[in-house]
Amino acid sequence: MATERTLSIIKPDATNRNLTGKINAKFEDAGLRIVAQKRIQLTKAQAGKFYEVHAGRPFYDELCEFMASAPVVVQVLEGEGAIAKNREVMGATNPADAAPGTIRAEFAESVGENSVHGSDAPDTAAVEIAYFFSGLELVG
Ligand code: CDP
Ligand code: MG
């Protein structure tokens, strides 16, 4: 399998509870390398643009409010099959369905406040990484 990069976000519910280190340990234990990382606070408009694929869904407005409510940590994870591997480490969107040991099973508070974002495919990963990071910030 090829080396891939994927975009990860540690969401406000997790930064509020000081869980950045515990979540990063899950990535590193799974063999994912954090090759870029920064803590930022999104505006609602910036969150809305990031999640524009969900515009019109009933949860969209609340999701954008939530993502702008406190700092997030945006990061690029690299590794063999990193996109699917990160989805595995994250667990299902709804923590009630997330497998034991996954980030969402251990830390998520609800289907909305579910601690992490991860890209779902190579094309979305490329767009999402470019939304937050310039080439100069990706040193591998
Ligand atoms: O994050 P993931 O790719 O697992 O799920 P998604 O279907 O792409 O949804 C994006 C985000 O919207 C989720 O992670 C939740 O924070 C939120 N969401 C929600 O609040 N209620 C739903 N029924 C579905 C998603
Ligand atoms: Mg998604």
Side-chain angles (χ1 to χ4, degrees), residues 11 51 54 59 63 87 90 93 104 111-112 114 116-118:
K11 294 184 177 182
Y51 275 120
H54 294 304
F59 58 83
L63 174 63
R87 298 291 309 190
M90 289 164 62
T93 307
R104 283 166 165 170
V111 65
N114 59 2
V116 280
H117 165 85

Side-chain angles (χ1 to χ4, degrees), residues 53-115:
V53 64
H54 294 304
R57 307 274 292 277
F59 58 83
Y60 179 68
D61 191 64
E62 199 180 343
L63 174 63
C64 298
E65 288 276 354
F66 165 61
M67 292 299 288
S69 67
V72 296
V73 177
V74 293
Q75 25 184 217
V76 179
L77 308 180
E78 184 180 273
E80 291 289 300
I83 297 166
K85 183 175 281 185
N86 181 40
R87 298 291 309 190
E88 243 177 74
V89 174
M90 289 164 62
T93 307
N94 185 340
D97 302 327
T102 61
I103 292 168
R104 283 166 165 170
E106 285 193 18
F107 302 124
E109 300 197 295
S110 66
V111 65
E113 304 199 3
N114 59 2
S115 304

Side-chain angles (χ1 to χ4, degrees), residues 8-89:
S8 168
I9 305 178
I10 301 179
K11 294 184 177 182
D13 67 284
T15 62
N16 278 337
R17 287 175 291 145
N18 215 21
L19 292 171
T20 298
K22 285 191 172 134
I23 289 173
N24 280 348
K26 294 273 196 194
F27 297 139
E28 293 183 336
D29 288 349
L32 292 164
R33 183 173 292 272
I34 302 163
V35 297
Q37 175 168 259
K38 57 190 171 189
R39 181 176 169 102
I40 57 176
Q41 183 148 9
L42 296 172
T43 65
K44 190 176 172 185
Q46 288 167 339
K49 175 82 181 145
F50 179 76
Y51 275 120
E52 74 181 345
V53 64
H54 294 304
R57 307 274 292 277
F59 58 83
Y60 179 68
D61 191 64
E62 199 180 343
L63 174 63
C64 298
E65 288 276 354
F66 165 61
M67 292 299 288
S69 67
V72 296
V73 177
V74 293
Q75 25 184 217
V76 179
L77 308 180
E78 184 180 273
E80 291 289 300
I83 297 166
K85 183 175 281 185
N86 181 40
R87 298 291 309 190
E88 243 177 74
V89 174

